[in-house]
Amino acid sequence: MRRYFFDASAAVKLYVVEPGSTTVREMVRGARATPPHTQVLVCDIVLPETLSALLQIRRSPTAARRGISAAALRLVLPQVWVDLGGEGPMLVRTASETLRAASRIVERHELRAPDALHIAAALDINATHPVLFVSGDREQLKVARAEGLEVIELAA
């Protein structure tokens, strides 16, 4: 079974129309299948990060083109809570379990704390079950590779 670890830039693509959205939706479709043939994992900080990103997109001039009108957002937000809050097909890892490892990543690579938390959570899972780290953030992907993760780069 293929295991994918999404950061927030990947999770957002599940709800908007932009490059990489189809790839992310296929990965999640595999996790929703019966029986599932993929597994999608996230760190719990992906929920507030994704909600924040969607609300920022809604206020941007590209909102309509990306499929996030006010009406669409009202429909999407409850689904985000299900998908990323532990009720949907994605398995959620708690950030607090990886704070020390994330802090070391921040110190080594001068990376933003949320990005380091995603990488640390993925590394923790990867130690027992190989994962592919999925992101559209090139700087974060560079660090993920340096830390030993296999990555899938989504179009930004």
Side-chain angles (χ1 to χ4, degrees):
M1 176 180 298
R2 287 206 113 162
R3 288 178 184 85
Y4 302 104
F5 189 97
F6 287 4
D7 79 333
S9 70
V12 166
K13 291 178 184 298
L14 188 57
Y15 310 103
V16 300
V17 177
E18 62 186 25
S21 294
T22 302
T23 301
V24 166
R25 289 181 186 132
E26 285 298 318
M27 292 171 180
V28 173
R29 192 172 294 122
R32 288 184 172 135
T34 306
H37 57 273
T38 66
Q39 198 171 54
V40 178
L41 303 108
V42 295
C43 181
D44 60 357
I45 64 167
V46 78
L47 177 60
E49 281 191 302
T50 301
L51 291 168
S52 175
L54 291 171
L55 291 167
Q56 287 176 20
I57 291 167
R58 173 58 193 105
R59 291 188 303 270
S60 78
T62 64
R65 181 174 47 91
R66 295 170 79 183
I68 299 294
S69 65
L73 190 62
R74 281 192 299 278
L75 296 173
V76 165
L77 291 181
Q79 189 62 48
V80 173
W81 279 91
V82 169
D83 292 342
L84 305 177
E87 300 172 39
M90 296 182 210
L91 302 174
V92 179
R93 177 60 127 237
T94 306
S96 61
E97 296 174 45
T98 60
L99 288 176
R100 288 175 111 27
S103 297
R104 285 188 216 100
I105 292 168
V106 167
E107 190 173 15
R108 274 194 302 274
H109 301 281
E110 298 181 25
L111 193 65
R112 290 176 354 113
D115 292 345
L117 282 164
H118 290 294
I119 292 170
L123 285 167
D124 190 46
I125 296 164
N126 194 63
T128 54
H129 299 94
V131 297
L132 295 164
F133 189 82
V134 183
S135 176
D137 180 331
R138 287 193 173 145
E139 182 64 26
Q140 185 183 39
L141 287 165
K142 182 176 125 186
V143 172
R145 278 188 204 98
E147 291 291 325
L149 289 169
E150 286 189 58
V151 304
I152 294 177
E153 183 172 349
L154 299 169

